[in-house]
Amino acid sequence: MLKMVVCVSGGGTNLQAILDSLGSGRITNAEIIAVISNNAGAKALERAAAHHIPGIVMSPKKYPDREAFNEAFTAKMRELGPDLIVLAGFLVRIPPRMVAEFSNRIVNIHPALIPSFCGVGYYGLRVHEKVLERGVKVTGATVHFVNEGMDEGPIIEQKAVRVREGDTPETLQRRVMEQAEWILLPAAIDDIANGRIAVKGERVVRLDTVCRDT
Ligand code: GRF
């Protein structure tokens, strides 16, 4: 059974998608042992509580400096000892030491098609604002392993979503969530929990089939 810690900052709709998938059997062989939020008011914590999952608040603002937070955060993760850390809308940079200690065991969902619209400054609604500003016609979401870079780790899966005439950042964000994020993240967790993917160098390879589309 894959033990997961899910890290959140806000609404927690991706957390909800994971909880629903665990409930429906779309994710098997996995459980959430804790939810960590940097924000005490996050709705995600209510979603965790409704499922009797321990919620832990760890905010960088409560520490004298980032180094102190990074140490405490990494120590907490070590203590929890998850097999997989899931960043589901987590707006805090993962400490380099944690990335090293949990190498290829941290996944993130990004609301764009990496390597487009990612990196420093591309988070939350800003990603969708930039997509609309640039006028691209297709965007999407990416689930990837986390390495020491920003949105640079091995890509697990991506899904494209059409940009529509008249979209606002909010309508586009919602469509990307509904059509991509809430599907991709649970599917990736299920693949990991059931040993269907592996990291080879910079790339993720599927072990169950040569090509998904054939
Ligand atoms: C999602 O769009 C996620 O991709 C991004 O932040 C948003 C979080 O939404 N990183 P929620 O908290 O899961 O509702």
Side-chain angles (χ1 to χ4, degrees), residues 33-62:
I33 57 168
V35 168
I36 297 181
S37 173
N38 62 309
N39 165 14
K43 186 166 165 42
L45 289 172
E46 292 171 29
R47 298 179 195 269
H51 283 76
H52 312 288
I53 295 166
I56 299 163
V57 178
M58 291 203 80
S59 167
K61 292 182 194 146
K62 302 274 183 203

mmCIF file of all heavy atoms in Angstrom, residues 33-62:
data_model
loop_
_atom_site.group_PDB
_atom_site.id
_atom_site.type_symbol
_atom_site.label_atom_id
_atom_site.label_comp_id
_atom_site.label_asym_id
_atom_site.label_seq_id
_atom_site.Cartn_x
_atom_site.Cartn_y
_atom_site.Cartn_z
ATOM 1 N N ILE A 33 -1.890 9.465 4.178
ATOM 2 C CA ILE A 33 -1.647 9.393 5.626
ATOM 3 C C ILE A 33 -1.688 10.776 6.274
ATOM 4 O O ILE A 33 -1.884 10.884 7.478
ATOM 5 C CB ILE A 33 -0.308 8.673 5.951
ATOM 6 C CG1 ILE A 33 0.878 9.362 5.262
ATOM 7 C CG2 ILE A 33 -0.385 7.199 5.564
ATOM 8 C CD1 ILE A 33 2.232 8.877 5.776
ATOM 9 N N ALA A 34 -1.507 11.840 5.493
ATOM 10 C CA ALA A 34 -1.593 13.200 6.042
ATOM 11 C C ALA A 34 -1.706 14.206 4.916
ATOM 12 O O ALA A 34 -1.287 13.941 3.784
ATOM 13 C CB ALA A 34 -0.354 13.523 6.893
ATOM 14 N N VAL A 35 -2.299 15.360 5.259
ATOM 15 C CA VAL A 35 -2.349 16.492 4.337
ATOM 16 C C VAL A 35 -1.611 17.640 5.008
ATOM 17 O O VAL A 35 -1.872 17.949 6.179
ATOM 18 C CB VAL A 35 -3.811 16.886 4.017
ATOM 19 C CG1 VAL A 35 -3.874 18.226 3.297
ATOM 20 C CG2 VAL A 35 -4.479 15.803 3.168
ATOM 21 N N ILE A 36 -0.664 18.235 4.292
ATOM 22 C CA ILE A 36 0.084 19.373 4.836
ATOM 23 C C ILE A 36 -0.313 20.626 4.066
ATOM 24 O O ILE A 36 -0.307 20.634 2.832
ATOM 25 C CB ILE A 36 1.610 19.157 4.729
ATOM 26 C CG1 ILE A 36 2.029 17.942 5.560
ATOM 27 C CG2 ILE A 36 2.363 20.412 5.182
ATOM 28 C CD1 ILE A 36 3.535 17.652 5.541
ATOM 29 N N SER A 37 -0.674 21.681 4.805
ATOM 30 C CA SER A 37 -1.012 22.958 4.177
ATOM 31 C C SER A 37 -0.137 24.056 4.771
ATOM 32 O O SER A 37 0.148 24.060 5.970
ATOM 33 C CB SER A 37 -2.486 23.278 4.442
ATOM 34 O OG SER A 37 -2.778 24.578 3.967
ATOM 35 N N ASN A 38 0.256 24.998 3.923
ATOM 36 C CA ASN A 38 0.995 26.159 4.428
ATOM 37 C C ASN A 38 0.020 27.254 4.872
ATOM 38 O O ASN A 38 0.435 28.295 5.364
ATOM 39 C CB ASN A 38 1.942 26.713 3.353
ATOM 40 C CG ASN A 38 1.187 27.204 2.136
ATOM 41 O OD1 ASN A 38 0.360 26.482 1.587
ATOM 42 N ND2 ASN A 38 1.460 28.423 1.718
ATOM 43 N N ASN A 39 -1.266 26.967 4.693
ATOM 44 C CA ASN A 39 -2.284 27.978 4.923
ATOM 45 C C ASN A 39 -3.369 27.374 5.825
ATOM 46 O O ASN A 39 -4.076 26.446 5.421
ATOM 47 C CB ASN A 39 -2.809 28.394 3.533
ATOM 48 C CG ASN A 39 -4.096 29.155 3.568
ATOM 49 O OD1 ASN A 39 -4.530 29.638 4.614
ATOM 50 N ND2 ASN A 39 -4.714 29.263 2.412
ATOM 51 N N ALA A 40 -3.482 27.919 7.040
ATOM 52 C CA ALA A 40 -4.413 27.350 8.030
ATOM 53 C C ALA A 40 -5.857 27.437 7.562
ATOM 54 O O ALA A 40 -6.698 26.640 7.968
ATOM 55 C CB ALA A 40 -4.246 28.079 9.364
ATOM 56 N N GLY A 41 -6.153 28.405 6.673
ATOM 57 C CA GLY A 41 -7.533 28.596 6.222
ATOM 58 C C GLY A 41 -7.883 27.814 4.965
ATOM 59 O O GLY A 41 -8.974 27.992 4.413
ATOM 60 N N ALA A 42 -6.987 26.956 4.510
ATOM 61 C CA ALA A 42 -7.226 26.255 3.238
ATOM 62 C C ALA A 42 -8.448 25.340 3.329
ATOM 63 O O ALA A 42 -8.562 24.548 4.275
ATOM 64 C CB ALA A 42 -5.991 25.433 2.862
ATOM 65 N N LYS A 43 -9.324 25.444 2.333
ATOM 66 C CA LYS A 43 -10.494 24.568 2.292
ATOM 67 C C LYS A 43 -10.060 23.099 2.177
ATOM 68 O O LYS A 43 -10.762 22.185 2.591
ATOM 69 C CB LYS A 43 -11.391 24.957 1.109
ATOM 70 C CG LYS A 43 -12.704 24.213 1.069
ATOM 71 C CD LYS A 43 -13.670 24.862 0.094
ATOM 72 C CE LYS A 43 -14.850 24.020 -0.288
ATOM 73 N NZ LYS A 43 -15.578 23.254 0.589
ATOM 74 N N ALA A 44 -8.885 22.916 1.615
ATOM 75 C CA ALA A 44 -8.346 21.562 1.473
ATOM 76 C C ALA A 44 -8.279 20.853 2.833
ATOM 77 O O ALA A 44 -8.487 19.637 2.916
ATOM 78 C CB ALA A 44 -6.958 21.632 0.842
ATOM 79 N N LEU A 45 -7.999 21.595 3.893
ATOM 80 C CA LEU A 45 -7.908 20.978 5.227
ATOM 81 C C LEU A 45 -9.274 20.453 5.675
ATOM 82 O O LEU A 45 -9.357 19.424 6.350
ATOM 83 C CB LEU A 45 -7.353 21.980 6.246
ATOM 84 C CG LEU A 45 -5.864 22.307 6.087
ATOM 85 C CD1 LEU A 45 -5.467 23.454 7.021
ATOM 86 C CD2 LEU A 45 -4.997 21.072 6.366
ATOM 87 N N GLU A 46 -10.343 21.166 5.289
ATOM 88 C CA GLU A 46 -11.700 20.689 5.614
ATOM 89 C C GLU A 46 -11.987 19.392 4.861
ATOM 90 O O GLU A 46 -12.607 18.476 5.392
ATOM 91 C CB GLU A 46 -12.750 21.728 5.204
ATOM 92 C CG GLU A 46 -12.697 23.003 6.026
ATOM 93 C CD GLU A 46 -13.613 24.083 5.436
ATOM 94 O OE1 GLU A 46 -14.643 23.746 4.808
ATOM 95 O OE2 GLU A 46 -13.271 25.269 5.592
ATOM 96 N N ARG A 47 -11.532 19.345 3.613
ATOM 97 C CA ARG A 47 -11.755 18.134 2.815
ATOM 98 C C ARG A 47 -11.023 16.943 3.459
ATOM 99 O O ARG A 47 -11.551 15.834 3.493
ATOM 100 C CB ARG A 47 -11.253 18.330 1.381
ATOM 101 C CG ARG A 47 -11.961 19.436 0.612
ATOM 102 C CD ARG A 47 -11.353 19.529 -0.779
ATOM 103 N NE ARG A 47 -11.688 20.738 -1.488
ATOM 104 C CZ ARG A 47 -12.734 20.896 -2.308
ATOM 105 N NH1 ARG A 47 -13.563 19.900 -2.499
ATOM 106 N NH2 ARG A 47 -12.935 22.030 -2.931
ATOM 107 N N ALA A 48 -9.810 17.191 3.960
ATOM 108 C CA ALA A 48 -9.047 16.124 4.620
ATOM 109 C C ALA A 48 -9.783 15.676 5.886
ATOM 110 O O ALA A 48 -9.968 14.477 6.124
ATOM 111 C CB ALA A 48 -7.643 16.617 4.962
ATOM 112 N N ALA A 49 -10.218 16.653 6.680
ATOM 113 C CA ALA A 49 -10.896 16.340 7.944
ATOM 114 C C ALA A 49 -12.160 15.522 7.695
ATOM 115 O O ALA A 49 -12.466 14.587 8.454
ATOM 116 C CB ALA A 49 -11.232 17.631 8.690
ATOM 117 N N ALA A 50 -12.872 15.841 6.626
ATOM 118 C CA ALA A 50 -14.109 15.105 6.306
ATOM 119 C C ALA A 50 -13.817 13.631 6.035
ATOM 120 O O ALA A 50 -14.701 12.790 6.139
ATOM 121 C CB ALA A 50 -14.794 15.738 5.099
ATOM 122 N N HIS A 51 -12.561 13.336 5.689
ATOM 123 C CA HIS A 51 -12.165 11.941 5.436
ATOM 124 C C HIS A 51 -11.312 11.396 6.580
ATOM 125 O O HIS A 51 -10.626 10.384 6.419
ATOM 126 C CB HIS A 51 -11.411 11.820 4.103
ATOM 127 C CG HIS A 51 -12.308 11.875 2.917
ATOM 128 N ND1 HIS A 51 -12.862 13.054 2.445
ATOM 129 C CD2 HIS A 51 -12.800 10.892 2.118
ATOM 130 C CE1 HIS A 51 -13.631 12.782 1.390
ATOM 131 N NE2 HIS A 51 -13.611 11.487 1.186
ATOM 132 N N HIS A 52 -11.323 12.112 7.715
ATOM 133 C CA HIS A 52 -10.561 11.694 8.901
ATOM 134 C C HIS A 52 -9.074 11.540 8.612
ATOM 135 O O HIS A 52 -8.415 10.649 9.145
ATOM 136 C CB HIS A 52 -11.146 10.388 9.478
ATOM 137 C CG HIS A 52 -12.634 10.449 9.626
ATOM 138 N ND1 HIS A 52 -13.251 11.218 10.598
ATOM 139 C CD2 HIS A 52 -13.627 9.888 8.901
ATOM 140 C CE1 HIS A 52 -14.562 11.122 10.454
ATOM 141 N NE2 HIS A 52 -14.821 10.323 9.440
ATOM 142 N N ILE A 53 -8.580 12.410 7.758
ATOM 143 C CA ILE A 53 -7.144 12.403 7.445
ATOM 144 C C ILE A 53 -6.496 13.539 8.229
ATOM 145 O O ILE A 53 -6.987 14.674 8.187
ATOM 146 C CB ILE A 53 -6.898 12.592 5.932
ATOM 147 C CG1 ILE A 53 -7.456 11.382 5.166
ATOM 148 C CG2 ILE A 53 -5.421 12.791 5.619
ATOM 149 C CD1 ILE A 53 -7.571 11.601 3.676
ATOM 150 N N PRO A 54 -5.415 13.267 8.949
ATOM 151 C CA PRO A 54 -4.781 14.331 9.735
ATOM 152 C C PRO A 54 -4.325 15.495 8.860
ATOM 153 O O PRO A 54 -3.730 15.283 7.800
ATOM 154 C CB PRO A 54 -3.562 13.644 10.376
ATOM 155 C CG PRO A 54 -3.767 12.192 10.214
ATOM 156 C CD PRO A 54 -4.739 11.971 9.086
ATOM 157 N N GLY A 55 -4.640 16.704 9.284
ATOM 158 C CA GLY A 55 -4.204 17.912 8.589
ATOM 159 C C GLY A 55 -3.118 18.591 9.412
ATOM 160 O O GLY A 55 -3.245 18.735 10.627
ATOM 161 N N ILE A 56 -2.041 18.981 8.740
ATOM 162 C CA ILE A 56 -0.913 19.604 9.433
ATOM 163 C C ILE A 56 -0.673 20.961 8.780
ATOM 164 O O ILE A 56 -0.616 21.045 7.549
ATOM 165 C CB ILE A 56 0.353 18.725 9.280
ATOM 166 C CG1 ILE A 56 0.115 17.340 9.906
ATOM 167 C CG2 ILE A 56 1.576 19.405 9.896
ATOM 168 C CD1 ILE A 56 1.112 16.281 9.461
ATOM 169 N N VAL A 57 -0.571 22.017 9.590
ATOM 170 C CA VAL A 57 -0.295 23.343 9.026
ATOM 171 C C VAL A 57 1.174 23.667 9.261
ATOM 172 O O VAL A 57 1.663 23.604 10.394
ATOM 173 C CB VAL A 57 -1.189 24.427 9.664
ATOM 174 C CG1 VAL A 57 -0.842 25.799 9.095
ATOM 175 C CG2 VAL A 57 -2.662 24.112 9.426
ATOM 176 N N MET A 58 1.880 23.967 8.167
ATOM 177 C CA MET A 58 3.288 24.368 8.272
ATOM 178 C C MET A 58 3.506 25.556 7.345
ATOM 179 O O MET A 58 3.553 25.384 6.121
ATOM 180 C CB MET A 58 4.215 23.232 7.848
ATOM 181 C CG MET A 58 4.224 22.076 8.813
ATOM 182 S SD MET A 58 5.721 21.093 8.685
ATOM 183 C CE MET A 58 6.877 22.046 9.626
ATOM 184 N N SER A 59 3.586 26.746 7.937
ATOM 185 C CA SER A 59 3.739 27.948 7.122
ATOM 186 C C SER A 59 5.131 28.541 7.289
ATOM 187 O O SER A 59 5.600 28.716 8.412
ATOM 188 C CB SER A 59 2.701 28.982 7.563
ATOM 189 O OG SER A 59 3.033 30.222 7.005
ATOM 190 N N PRO A 60 5.777 28.888 6.167
ATOM 191 C CA PRO A 60 7.096 29.535 6.272
ATOM 192 C C PRO A 60 7.036 30.800 7.116
ATOM 193 O O PRO A 60 8.031 31.176 7.753
ATOM 194 C CB PRO A 60 7.435 29.875 4.813
ATOM 195 C CG PRO A 60 6.602 28.970 3.981
ATOM 196 C CD PRO A 60 5.351 28.699 4.771
ATOM 197 N N LYS A 61 5.861 31.433 7.160
ATOM 198 C CA LYS A 61 5.732 32.688 7.917
ATOM 199 C C LYS A 61 5.919 32.501 9.410
ATOM 200 O O LYS A 61 6.186 33.451 10.134
ATOM 201 C CB LYS A 61 4.347 33.296 7.662
ATOM 202 C CG LYS A 61 4.160 33.798 6.262
ATOM 203 C CD LYS A 61 2.779 34.420 6.095
ATOM 204 C CE LYS A 61 2.470 34.614 4.622
ATOM 205 N NZ LYS A 61 1.070 34.426 4.310
ATOM 206 N N LYS A 62 5.762 31.284 9.874
ATOM 207 C CA LYS A 62 5.881 31.017 11.314
ATOM 208 C C LYS A 62 7.318 30.706 11.742
ATOM 209 O O LYS A 62 7.561 30.358 12.891
ATOM 210 C CB LYS A 62 4.987 29.835 11.711
ATOM 211 C CG LYS A 62 3.531 30.032 11.376
ATOM 212 C CD LYS A 62 2.810 30.768 12.484
ATOM 213 C CE LYS A 62 1.323 30.895 12.158
ATOM 214 N NZ LYS A 62 0.684 31.992 12.847
#
